[in-house]
């Protein structure tokens, strides 16, 4: 009996130190919810970040659409050819708003005054700069009805570009989820949940863009 007891104890101790078998990726996914959702979570976070940047880009581009009142942000998209390189005007000059109907542009390098003036005239803002040799003044005329319609079209086009960018992000993320499912890193239900989550993010971003564009259109339409 004592020999049998010692033998049983030895077997128990030995079994306690037998290493656990290695699990495949799919087996780990099935046994660990945290592991199963980790890569999907990364994809969803990436979608949220990239879609957020697309929405922010729409905001910034809409700020450059003038509404009949002077605003320094109107010139954010103006690029000037400076020593052979296209350079944002905001990096080359100080821009101030002395009145609700006027902007002044003061280039840091006075030798590029002509280049700045040319860039302003060739922009799609419909403005006529006046170069007095020390700074450039821009009078902001009231918008005509035809000009308002053109601005509204620009608003819609910027919004559509933003929505295309958001949908491209959705496509990339859904493709990544399908790749995980094909590699058996996630199951069918998890892949569907991930795709649904990305779609919800897409719907929210598109709705945000529609709201931003509608607000800007209202500003443009206000006389």
């Amino acid at each position: 009996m004592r020999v049998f007891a010692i033998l049983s104890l030895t077997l128990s101790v030995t079994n306690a130190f037998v290493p656990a078998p290695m699990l495949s990726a799919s087996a780990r996914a099935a046994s660990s919810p945290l592991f199963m959702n980790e890569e999907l979570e990364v994809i969803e976070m990436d979608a949220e970040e990239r879609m957020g940047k697309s929405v922010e880009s729409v905001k910034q581009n809409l700020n450059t659409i003038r509404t009949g009142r002077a605003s320094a942000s109107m010139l954010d998209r103006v690029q000037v050819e400076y020593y052979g390189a296209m350079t944002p005007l905001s990096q080359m000059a100080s821009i101030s708003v002395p009145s609700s109907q006027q902007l002044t542009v003061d280039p840091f390098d006075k030798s590029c005054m002509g280049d700045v003036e040319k860039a302003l005239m060739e922009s799609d803002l419909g403005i006529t700069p006046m170069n007095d040799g020390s700074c450039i003044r821009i009078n902001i005329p009231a918008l005509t009805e035809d000009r308002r319609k053109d601005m509204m079209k620009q608003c819609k086009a910027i919004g559509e570009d933003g929505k295309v960018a958001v949908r491209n992000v959705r496509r990339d993320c859904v493709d990544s989820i399908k790749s995980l499912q094909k590699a058996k890193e996630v199951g069918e239900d998890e892949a569907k949940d991930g795709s649904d989550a990305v779609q919800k993010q897409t719907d929210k971003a598109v709705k945000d863009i529609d709201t931003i564009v509608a607000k800007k259109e209202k500003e443009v339409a206000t006389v």
Side-chain angles (χ1 to χ4, degrees):
M1 290 294 291
R2 292 181 61 187
V3 173
F4 178 76
I6 293 172
L7 180 60
S8 298
L9 180 60
T10 302
L11 289 173
S12 299
V13 173
T14 302
N15 289 337
F17 290 95
V18 173
M22 293 296 291
L23 297 177
S24 65
S26 58
R28 291 199 303 272
S31 62
S32 172
L34 291 176
F35 180 89
M36 176 180 63
N37 293 325
E38 183 177 351
E39 290 183 296
L40 288 177
E41 185 177 354
V42 170
I43 291 173
E44 290 173 25
M45 290 173 62
D46 179 58
E48 183 178 10
E49 179 181 358
R50 291 169 62 192
M51 288 181 188
K53 288 181 179 179
S54 296
V55 173
E56 186 59 33
S57 177
V58 169
K59 286 182 182 178
Q60 292 176 357
N61 287 334
L62 286 176
N63 282 339
T64 67
I65 303 294
R66 70 184 185 90
T67 59
R69 293 180 62 85
S71 169
S73 61
M74 289 170 50
L75 306 182
D76 283 352
R77 285 191 296 168
V78 176
Q79 300 271 325
V80 182
E81 187 172 355
Y82 186 56
Y83 289 102
M86 299 308 293
T87 307
L89 176 60
S90 58
Q91 295 181 13
M92 299 176 55
S94 63
I95 302 170
S96 57
V97 187
S99 74
S100 62
Q101 299 300 124
Q102 189 178 80
L103 293 171
T104 59
V105 179
D106 186 8
F108 304 130
D109 180 358
K110 302 303 181 184
S111 68
C112 70
M113 292 279 287
D115 295 326
V116 171
E117 183 180 13
K118 179 183 177 182
L120 289 167
M121 292 182 67
E122 293 178 349
S123 70
D124 60 358
L125 295 172
I127 54 179
T128 303
M130 295 178 291
N131 183 351
D132 66 8
S134 61
C135 71
I136 296 174
R137 301 182 189 280
I138 304 169
N139 290 324
I140 308 300
L143 293 176
T144 64
E145 188 61 30
D146 286 342
R147 189 58 180 163
R148 287 184 193 280
K149 290 179 180 178
D150 289 341
M151 294 295 186
M152 299 276 275
K153 289 178 181 178
Q154 287 187 41
C155 291
K156 290 184 184 298
I158 290 171
E160 286 304 315
D161 287 345
K163 288 191 277 190
V164 168
V166 166
R167 288 168 182 145
N168 285 341
V169 173
R170 177 192 62 187
R171 181 199 60 210
D172 292 345
C173 292
V174 169
D175 286 347
S176 296
I177 292 172
K178 288 179 179 177
S179 296
L180 288 177
Q181 184 181 1
K182 186 176 181 180
K184 300 188 183 304
E185 293 291 335
V186 297
E188 182 179 351
D189 290 343
E190 290 75 28
K192 183 178 184 305
D193 289 344
S195 296
D196 289 346
V198 171
Q199 183 60 53
K200 287 180 181 178
Q201 291 174 327
T202 303
D203 294 342
K204 181 181 182 303
V206 168
K207 184 177 179 181
D208 288 345
I209 289 174
D210 285 339
T211 300
I212 294 166
V213 170
K215 180 180 178 181
K216 188 65 178 184
E217 287 177 334
K218 184 177 180 180
E219 291 177 6
V220 171
T222 301
V223 179

